[in-house]
Amino acid sequence: MQKNDITEMVISSLRQILSEQDPEFLTDGLNESTRLFGRGSLLDSLAMVSLIVDIEQRLKEKLNIHITIADERAMSMERSPFRTVESLADYIQLLVEEKSKDV
Amino acid sequence: MIDFLLKKFEENKGEEAIIFKETPYKYAWLLERISFWHHRIVAHQIKPGAVATLEADFSPDSVALLLALVEHRCVVVPLSQAVVSKKEEFIEIAQSEIIFRFSDARLEIKETGRKADHEYYLSLRAKNHPGLVLFSSGSTGKSKAAVHDLSKLLEKFKVPRYRWRTIAFLLFDHIGGINTMFYTLSNAGCLIVADDRTPDGVLRSIEKFRAQLLPTSPTFINLMILSEAYKRYDLSSLKIITYGTEPMPETTLRRINTILPHVTLQQTYGLTELGILRSKSKSTDSLWVRVGGEGVDTKVVDGVLWIRANSAMIGYLNADNPFDEEGWFCTGDLVDYEDGYTRILGRKSELINVGGQKVHPTEVENVILMMEGVEDVSVKGEPNPIVGQIVVAQVKISTEETVAEFKKRLAAFCKDKLARYKIPQKVSIVSSLSYGERFKKMR
């Protein structure tokens, strides 16, 4: 899976979560550097969970890839993978690659 | 010990006691059989105080044998079809000395060579009282074996109450099933054994044998509604449906009241450890219930119901004594309490903690059940490293929606009805929910 595809999936999922929260929210400006979680970010912890669950579900249904994005490892990383769209996409790519090696 | 029962049977010899495989058995028959089994027990040199496993489901002979064992002051360990896979383990825990096994209308009697020497058994023998061992469901861990002094459990049946034709729906080894049996027989009612426990099977028995009382669970009531079985049978004889063993969803209660307006819905409350307590619903459409009566004290501590009851068990065979010094038992049920009435919210152990905020599965289930096309739902918590736990829902739907479509509709539907943290984060669609032989939702 290409990094671009993953980034697009994250943004698409993010767009959905944000518009569910507030239908008036303008989601055009979302890009790789959009801050997700942390200071000055778009999401609170519940929305972050929704985003992750949604991405996991998309991977499972569309590509039959089963990964757990939020686990102890992700939580204990020095630089949180949940900072920005890009860092999350990077982390997902890592998980997907690891998964494909397992098989 | 069961003189009051035998006297009642004697006075009602001509009445139907049990209906089994569509055949009625009268009280005269039951009296004869109790005496027959008593002779067999003596012939087998089974001593009072012996621990006897009774592997059976409700039948005229299993009831007669159970009563004969009680009369002989034995400790009875009933094991039904629901625990087949755990049978050997339960026999071991109960230290069963003798096993009565009913299969295909034949009876096998087997001595195990074990010696039942648990201190609770010794205390029963010292008092010359019969006992009863019941296993808790063990849905949250291992099954616990509760030892009851049957003379205490039987006490409440000495007060005459209504005579009903009752469906034996709850099983032979369940506190609710045992209660149904003693209640029905002690008032010379008729115990109708439904050998087919599907909604159609049960409702057919109600129609055919003019049953008046159906003691069951909310899960079964929901299945009855979904299957529309109530449309296929004449249920005019039915007067009361009692429900217990799990919280009743508001939506299900409202629906069944509309479908069967002539039937009174009555909530029961009981635990393997305490017996079935006397209870009275505020009204047929109310989830508020008065629990207790003579010999029962209740209190609420930090939202959890505590009960002290004369009918309480002696203790567990395989777990620590759960009673405090004053004899109170923590039920583990979270409740609201108002003017003497209790409303059961759910098990404390099933409470979901989302980032420190508490969610009752039943509250969420109630809202989802109101959605168009939702047949049943089970809500539970799932560990999540970000917020501790998240709310997940398994839903059975009658529409053709995909998970994504349904989830979207669910989120929109719940938005103004539930706080954000209570709305399920994860939703899956299932073809059926698991509820097992006890017709109780498994979370």
Side-chain angles (χ1 to χ4, degrees), chain B residues 167 169 194 196-207 211-243 246 248-249 251-265 369 375-376 396 435 439:
Chain B
I167 298 284
F169 177 81
D196 174 0
R197 291 168 79 238
T198 61
D200 276 281
V202 170
L203 300 196
R204 192 181 305 119
S205 296
I206 292 175
E207 174 185 271
Q212 298 163 302
L213 171 62
L214 170 65
T216 187
S217 68
T219 290
F220 183 80
I221 293 174
N222 197 39
L223 289 175
M224 224 167 93
I225 298 171
L226 290 179
S227 63
E228 299 193 338
Y230 59 87
K231 290 184 178 166
R232 297 188 277 276
Y233 303 94
D234 170 11
L235 302 178
S236 57
S237 62
L238 195 60
K239 290 195 160 57
I240 302 180
I241 296 177
T242 61
Y243 58 91
E246 60 178 350
M248 169 66 105
T251 325
T252 307
L253 183 59
R254 203 176 319 121
R255 281 194 198 155
I256 192 70
N257 264 301
T258 314
I259 289 168
L260 301 172
H262 69 286
V263 174
T264 301
L265 274 294
L369 277 172
E375 297 196 334
D376 206 356
K396 184 174 185 291
Y435 47 77
F439 287 93

Side-chain angles (χ1 to χ4, degrees), chain B residues 135-189:
Chain B
F135 287 85
S136 67
S137 64
S139 45
T140 49
K142 89 176 178 204
S143 295
K144 294 178 191 159
V147 185
H148 285 271
D149 180 336
L150 248 179
S151 65
K152 282 188 183 177
L153 219 49
L154 288 176
E155 202 53 41
K156 73 167 178 174
F157 298 106
K158 291 181 182 164
V159 184
R161 305 208 185 269
Y162 293 103
R163 165 192 292 200
W164 298 118
R165 294 177 68 81
T166 308
I167 298 284
F169 177 81
L170 303 168
L171 296 173
F172 192 51
D173 57 353
H174 184 264
I175 186 70
I178 293 283
N179 191 68
T180 301
M181 176 184 74
F182 280 119
Y183 182 97
T184 306
L185 299 181
S186 63
N187 293 295

Side-chain angles (χ1 to χ4, degrees), chain B residues 82-134:
Chain B
V83 300
V84 173
S85 61
K86 293 181 170 173
K87 222 166 53 184
E88 295 310 318
E89 180 195 340
F90 285 1
I91 288 170
E92 188 72 39
I93 294 170
Q95 303 182 331
S96 298
E97 294 169 308
I98 186 145
I99 298 171
F100 293 90
R101 181 174 293 148
F102 280 93
S103 55
D104 302 327
R106 288 177 56 86
L107 178 73
E108 235 180 276
I109 305 178
K110 204 175 92 187
E111 280 165 46
T112 64
R114 272 194 204 82
K115 204 170 146 44
D117 55 3
H118 194 282
E119 57 172 315
Y120 296 150
Y121 292 153
L122 301 181
S123 81
L124 282 171
R125 278 174 210 153
K127 286 188 220 155
N128 199 22
H129 285 179
L132 177 71
V133 177
L134 298 175

